[in-house]
Structure formats: C-alpha cells, structure tokens
C-alpha cells in the first residue's frame, strides 16, 4: 500500500507550507502582543537571554547541571508570569505559539518516525483530488446510488432492472469494503447512463479511504497518455505506465472509447495481461455487451476478460434522462 512519489512530494510540500504558515502567523501575533504589552516584550527578552546562556553552558566542561537547572527554573517562572499577563489582557496562554493544524505532530507529518494520522488523511485527500480532475468522485458514493431510477417492471428476459441494480450495488459495496491486493477483477457492462461509472467511483472512494492507491481513467485517456510516454512526449500527461500497472486498484472506465489503432490494442492487452499476471485487481466498465467486445477486440484481450473478470451487467434506461 504505497503511493507514487509525486503524491508523497505533494503531501510534504503541503505539510511544510502548513508549518511555515503557523510559525509566520505566530511571529506576527507575538510582535503585535509585544508591541501592545511592554511587560510581555521584557519577558521575551529575558527568555531569549536565558536560552542563549543555557546553550552556551553546553560548551563548557565541568559540572554545569546546577546552573542549567537554575536557568530552567527562571524560564519556567517567566513563562508562568507571561501566561498570567496574557490572560489578563484577554489572550490565551499559547497565543504567541504556532497554531498548527495538527497539534499532535505539529504539522511535521510524523510521530517518532511513524506516519501521523494527519499525514495519512492528507495522502488520501491528494489521491481523491487526483481523480477529481477527471471525474466527480465526491458525488459518487454507495449511499447516493438511487435504485428508484431503475424500472421495477420485468424485461423480456425476465430480469427486473431495479432488482439487478440492487444486487450489483451490494456486490460492489462488499467488494470495496473487503478490498485487498488479492481482490478479484470486475467488469461493469451496460448501456450509457446506467451508473457504471458511479459504482466504479464509489468503489474508489472506499478503497482510497482504506489507504490503497487507486488509479482512475478512461480507456481513451490512459491509452493516449501511454502512447505519448512511449514516444517521449511526457509533458502534460496524467498517466504513466508505472502508475497504471503498479497501482493497488486500476479503474479503467469506458472501455471501447479509445481510438482503435495498433498501439491502443497493444496497450490494453499489456495493461490487462500484466495486472492479471501480477495479481493486481482491475475494475473495467464498458457500454459494449460481451458479444460486442468479442467482435471489437482480438482473442488475447477478450479471453482474459471473460476468463479473469466477474461480469456485472446492468439493465435499464439512461438514468441521467430521468
């Protein structure tokens, strides 16, 4: 469960900025308070002098413990006096100290070498923002998936769209809740506007919150970027081969919308086959029926999809027009 380097770098920059802001704002507040309250200014000067004397003692040989303890006692007394004066003037005791977003790690992101919870949440937020550039992940949850958009009338094949959608919803929910690197592959099949992308993004929401790295993209966008990367045109691309092949969960949306050429077919085969061999789960959605996929792609791709993916077919009318 590791994120790509650029995700960690973004988190580090944000944490650094948070810390710098907290320190800068504290300095401005302290300057204002010292200007307003001369007694506080005098105490701060005394504390600075004590701090300098204490640090200088460490360069001397001999028993300096008694002097250090004396200076520490003076410092403690001055800090207590400062607190009283601040309170008297309507300020809190820590009003001159940095107000960190995370008081636990003081916006360092680590506690005794271990990732702080604030750092974990920041990585999750960054991951969701990566997907948010391309799809409304915040709007797609299991909770707001509306089953009443699907007909309760049986079709000619005796399937009731609402009942089928309900079963698929619960299956997708269980898949997300129980997700692990050993999870199976899913294939959402159905006409345009039946909620395939919604369910895929709902899965992404839960899996990301569990701390896994999810890569989401349409088949067309991923194939285009991998082709650009192949030929050295890396400026502006959003997907790399390493990301697509190595993420914990790949969500390949709108299979079949990519430009049909030799490269896209080879890229799709490599993605699907490599992730199967590496036992890394993938969720694919497509507007094509299985029979249409068999006609569209060669057997190398279709045999792996039909053999290694659990198919979930959604029936009904475009819910976006309801």
């Amino acid at each position: 469960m590791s994120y790509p380097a650029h995700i960690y770098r973004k988190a580090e920059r944000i944490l650094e900025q948070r810390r710098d802001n907290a320190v800068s704002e504290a300095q401005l507040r302290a300057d204002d308070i010292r200007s307003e309250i001369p007694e506080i200014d005098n105490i701060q000067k005394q504390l600075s002098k004590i701090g300098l004397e204490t640090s200088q003692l460490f360069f001397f040989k001999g028993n300096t413990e008694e002097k250090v303890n004396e200076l520490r006692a003076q410092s403690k007394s001055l800090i207590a006096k400062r607190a009283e004066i601040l309170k008297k003037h309507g300020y809190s005791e820590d009003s001159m100290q940095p107000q960190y977003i995370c008081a636990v790690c003081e916006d360092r992101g680590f506690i005794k070498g271990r990732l702080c919870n604030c750092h974990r949440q920041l990585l999750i937020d960054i991951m969701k923002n990566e997907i948010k550039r391309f799809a409304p992940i915040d709007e797609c949850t299991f909770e707001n998936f509306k089953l009443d958009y699907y007909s309760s009338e049986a079709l000619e094949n005796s399937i009731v769209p609402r009942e089928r959608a309900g079963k698929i919803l619960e299956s997708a929910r269980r898949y997300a809740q129980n997700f692990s690197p050993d999870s199976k592959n899913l294939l959402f099949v159905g006409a345009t506007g039946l909620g395939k992308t919604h369910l895929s993004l709902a899965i992404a929401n839960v899996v990301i919150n569990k701390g896994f790295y999810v890569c989401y993209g349409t088949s067309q966008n991923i194939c285009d970027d991998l082709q650009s990367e192949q030929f050295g045109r890396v400026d502006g691309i959003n997907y790399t081969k390493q990301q697509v092949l190595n993420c914990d969960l790949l969500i390949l949306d709108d299979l079949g919308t990519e430009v049909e050429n030799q490269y896209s077919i080879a890229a799709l085969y490599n993605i699907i086959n490599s992730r199967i061999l590496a036992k890394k789960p993938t969720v694919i959605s497509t507007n094509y029926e299985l029979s249409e996929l068999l006609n569209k792609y060669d057997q190398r791709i279709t045999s792996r999809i039909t053999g290694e993916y659990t198919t979930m077919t959604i029936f009904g009318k475009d819910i976006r027009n309801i």
Side-chain angles (χ1 to χ4, degrees):
M1 291 191 296
S2 61
Y3 298 96
H6 77 278
I7 298 289
Y8 286 111
R9 286 195 296 269
K10 282 186 178 181
E12 289 169 4
R13 287 195 295 269
I14 292 172
L15 287 167
E16 183 179 354
Q17 187 63 56
R18 286 178 179 179
R19 189 169 174 80
D20 288 346
N21 289 343
V23 172
S24 297
E25 290 169 6
Q27 185 61 56
L28 290 174
R29 286 196 305 273
D31 290 344
D32 289 342
I33 291 173
R34 293 176 70 170
S35 177
E36 177 189 345
I37 312 172
E39 290 175 279
I40 295 293
D41 184 51
N42 184 49
I43 289 174
Q44 290 303 112
K45 289 176 179 177
Q46 292 181 65
L47 287 171
S48 296
K49 183 180 178 182
I50 290 173
L52 179 60
E53 289 181 30
T54 303
S55 63
Q56 289 175 338
L57 286 174
F58 290 104
F59 292 96
F60 291 95
K61 295 182 179 179
N63 186 8
T64 59
E65 183 177 353
E66 183 178 347
K67 182 60 177 176
V68 168
N69 288 337
E70 179 185 336
L71 291 172
R72 285 175 176 168
Q74 292 177 21
S75 177
K76 186 176 181 180
S77 176
L78 286 168
I79 290 172
K81 184 178 179 181
R82 182 182 66 188
E84 291 179 7
I85 296 171
L86 287 170
K87 186 176 181 180
K88 180 181 176 181
H89 285 79
Y91 292 100
S92 63
E93 293 183 14
D94 62 353
S95 57
M96 296 177 68
Q97 304 303 314
Q99 304 299 308
Y100 300 108
I101 291 177
C102 179
V104 179
C105 71
E106 296 185 341
D107 293 341
R108 290 183 173 88
F110 292 91
I111 305 171
K112 296 181 180 180
R114 301 187 68 178
L115 216 62
C116 181
N117 286 337
C118 74
H119 198 162
R120 295 181 193 279
Q121 186 59 51
L122 183 56
L123 292 168
I124 288 171
D125 292 342
I126 292 171
M127 185 70 263
K128 287 188 178 181
N129 285 334
E130 292 268 305
I131 294 178
K132 201 182 299 184
R133 293 182 297 155
F134 313 107
I137 185 170
D138 289 343
E139 302 171 17
C140 298
T141 66
F142 292 118
E143 289 70 27
N144 64 13
F145 189 85
K146 304 294 185 181
L147 290 175
D148 51 359
Y149 287 148
Y150 299 85
S151 174
S152 58
E153 299 294 325
L155 302 175
E156 292 182 0
N157 55 11
S158 298
I159 291 175
V160 179
R162 186 175 298 175
E163 291 180 1
R164 172 62 66 87
K167 290 179 180 178
I168 291 176
L169 171 63
E170 290 309 310
S171 294
R173 194 198 306 270
R174 286 196 302 273
Y175 178 87
Q177 291 172 341
N178 299 321
F179 182 84
S180 75
D182 299 322
S183 290
K184 60 189 178 182
N185 304 304
L186 299 182
L187 175 67
F188 290 117
V189 176
T192 302
L194 290 183
K196 300 183 301 298
T197 296
H198 187 125
L199 288 172
S200 297
L201 291 172
I203 289 172
N205 254 313
V206 174
V207 173
I208 290 172
N209 284 336
K210 289 167 71 72
F212 292 99
Y213 173 42
V214 177
C215 181
Y216 166 90
T218 64
S219 179
Q220 178 178 337
N221 289 342
I222 289 176
C223 285
D224 286 349
D225 277 6
L226 295 190
Q227 184 170 10
S228 295
E229 182 186 29
Q230 177 73 20
F231 292 101
R233 302 189 297 269
V234 296
D235 290 341
I237 68 172
N238 297 297
Y239 306 97
T240 66
K241 183 178 180 180
Q242 182 179 17
Q243 286 174 256
V244 171
L245 296 186
N246 296 325
C247 59
D248 295 315
L249 174 64
L250 172 65
I251 297 181
L252 189 65
D253 206 8
D254 282 336
L255 178 67
T257 60
E258 70 283 345
V259 176
E260 292 188 49
N261 56 39
Q262 187 174 0
Y263 182 85
S264 64
I265 297 298
L268 286 173
Y269 171 75
N270 185 48
I271 291 169
I272 293 169
N273 188 58
S274 295
R275 291 187 64 83
I276 288 173
L277 293 176
K279 296 183 178 180
K280 290 183 173 293
T282 303
V283 172
I284 295 177
S285 71
T286 181
N287 297 335
Y288 289 86
E289 295 181 5
L290 281 177
S291 59
E292 294 174 315
L293 290 177
L294 292 173
N295 291 327
K296 184 175 179 62
Y297 299 107
D298 64 35
Q299 189 178 7
R300 294 187 309 160
I301 292 177
T302 56
S303 64
R304 281 156 179 78
I305 291 177
T306 56
E308 300 288 343
Y309 282 70
T310 297
T311 302
M312 298 185 178
T313 304
I314 307 175
F315 294 87
K317 298 179 180 180
D318 190 337
I319 61 177
R320 293 175 298 188
N321 297 327
I322 297 176

